[in-house]
Amino acid sequence: MTDLSCLPPLREVIAEHKLSARKTFGQNFLLDENLTDRIARLAGPLKGYDILEIGPGPGGLTRSLVRAGARKVLCVEIDKRFVPALQPLTSIASVEIVHADALKWNPLGQLNPPIKIVSNLPFNSATPLFAHWLESVDWPPFWTSLTLMFQQETAERILADIGSKSYGRLSVLAQWRTQARLALRVPAAAFVPKPKVNACVIQVRWQEESPDRTNPYILRQITKAAFGQRRKMVRTSLKSLGPDIDSSLKATGIPPDSRPETITVAQFCQLARQLQREREGS
């Protein structure tokens, strides 16, 4: 185990570098190392894995990932203020820091399989990052598992069952070709500064069965249109996707007067494949 005893406490790091959380980056820090150690254990085993961490902030979870035996931790931090605070880790552990926007940067050139993603995600970018990792055209993905912190409301949407108020685009994406579970509930009081809502750690693994041939781009179009107007019947919310959307819906067994929250993940995928066939003229 890498000895991190030479590092100052996180609160001293924050004070020394005059750091503060910024709402523009959706920052809320976890300074309780018992909690970050627990998250690292939930993501385990980490020995023999490269870890991608988005938004490390002052490095609390980063330290825990190192202690848990990660082969390498690649930290992607959009806020350059935190780079000097994280730098001491690079001299005593296999930690690399990249100042970049994770939504616009490809990590694959700096990571070796197998790879896990473990992050206390910035709240304002958590949803687009999660969707990006699930909508990959290449499948299986480059990661073997995701262990991610979300606001409780977002976590509920990821895990929601059909017919519930929380069931939506994230539910479909998460349940399409992965298995997601609630791993840990984290109270708002655990963060600095304290947010207005509680948080949850969600763990996601991709399913082992044969790959689904649904086109991610078309599925994204469908779910975005459907749940963007969730109070409307799908014949109305999806009319921009095809010249005769009623026929496309009927071909997949979806009544055109359905509401999106009543449509199963399998039906959304069937509709995506039907639209692709129509667009290809077959």
Side-chain angles (χ1 to χ4, degrees):
M1 180 185 296
T2 303
D3 183 9
L4 302 182
S5 61
C6 60
L7 297 176
L10 290 170
R11 292 184 184 276
E12 290 184 15
V13 172
I14 291 172
E16 177 187 351
H17 293 274
K18 298 179 181 180
L19 299 171
S20 60
R22 288 182 175 173
K23 290 184 178 180
T24 52
F25 291 124
Q27 294 169 339
N28 297 90
F29 308 142
L30 280 178
L31 304 182
D32 183 343
E33 293 192 26
N34 290 323
L35 181 55
T36 56
D37 283 349
R38 186 176 178 187
I39 294 170
R41 289 195 298 270
L42 286 170
L46 300 186
K47 291 183 179 179
Y49 285 87
D50 280 8
I51 308 300
L52 175 61
E53 183 190 6
I54 308 300
L61 180 57
T62 314
R63 296 184 183 192
S64 294
L65 295 171
V66 170
R67 280 195 293 266
R71 182 175 61 197
K72 174 182 178 179
V73 182
L74 178 60
C75 301
V76 183
E77 178 57 67
I78 194 173
D79 189 343
K80 63 182 180 181
R81 296 178 303 145
F82 290 93
V83 173
L86 293 164
Q87 204 65 45
L89 273 167
T90 65
S91 62
I92 59 175
S94 183
V95 174
E96 185 176 350
I97 306 162
V98 175
H99 173 223
D101 182 344
L103 282 167
K104 301 176 181 178
W105 181 79
N106 185 349
L108 295 186
Q110 292 166 262
L111 292 168
N112 293 311
I115 300 163
K116 294 183 177 183
I117 302 179
V118 187
S119 295
N120 170 23
L121 291 175
F123 286 162
N124 65 347
S125 60
T127 295
L129 281 167
F130 186 62
H132 173 70
W133 290 323
L134 293 183
E135 292 174 338
S136 173
V137 173
D138 297 323
W139 204 266
F142 71 89
W143 47 268
T144 63
S145 68
L146 308 173
T147 303
L148 306 172
M149 182 83 72
F150 293 97
Q151 289 181 320
Q152 182 173 313
E153 181 182 353
T154 305
E156 289 172 351
R157 296 206 308 270
I158 292 169
L159 301 172
D161 292 327
I162 183 174
S164 70
K165 292 182 179 179
S166 297
Y167 182 74
R169 176 170 173 255
L170 284 186
S171 318
V172 175
L173 291 179
Q175 297 167 37
W176 165 30
R177 50 187 181 181
T178 69
Q179 295 176 327
R181 72 179 186 93
L182 174 64
L184 181 67
R185 296 184 184 275
V186 182
F191 295 92
V192 177
K194 179 181 176 181
K196 295 180 180 179
V197 295
N198 296 327
C200 297
V201 175
I202 298 293
Q203 190 162 59
V204 178
R205 299 182 187 277
W206 48 267
Q207 298 177 20
E208 298 289 345
E209 52 260 31
S210 299
D212 187 297
R213 298 302 180 186
T214 302
N215 185 303
Y217 175 74
I218 299 176
L219 184 62
R220 179 169 69 245
Q221 285 184 318
I222 293 170
T223 53
K224 186 175 181 179
F227 291 105
Q229 302 181 73
R230 61 184 304 136
R231 293 185 179 181
K232 294 184 177 181
M233 294 181 289
V234 289
R235 64 153 45 107
T236 301
S237 59
L238 300 181
K239 64 183 179 181
S240 63
L241 300 184
D244 191 2
I245 195 65
D246 277 27
S247 296
S248 304
L249 289 163
K250 290 175 182 177
T252 54
I254 302 173
D257 59 355
S258 299
R259 307 289 180 181
E261 66 271 15
T262 67
I263 300 174
T264 67
V265 174
Q267 286 177 318
F268 274 117
C269 292
Q270 288 169 356
L271 179 59
R273 293 193 291 271
Q274 175 66 25
L275 288 177
Q276 182 170 9
R277 286 192 294 268
E278 293 172 5
R279 291 175 183 182
E280 293 173 349
S282 60

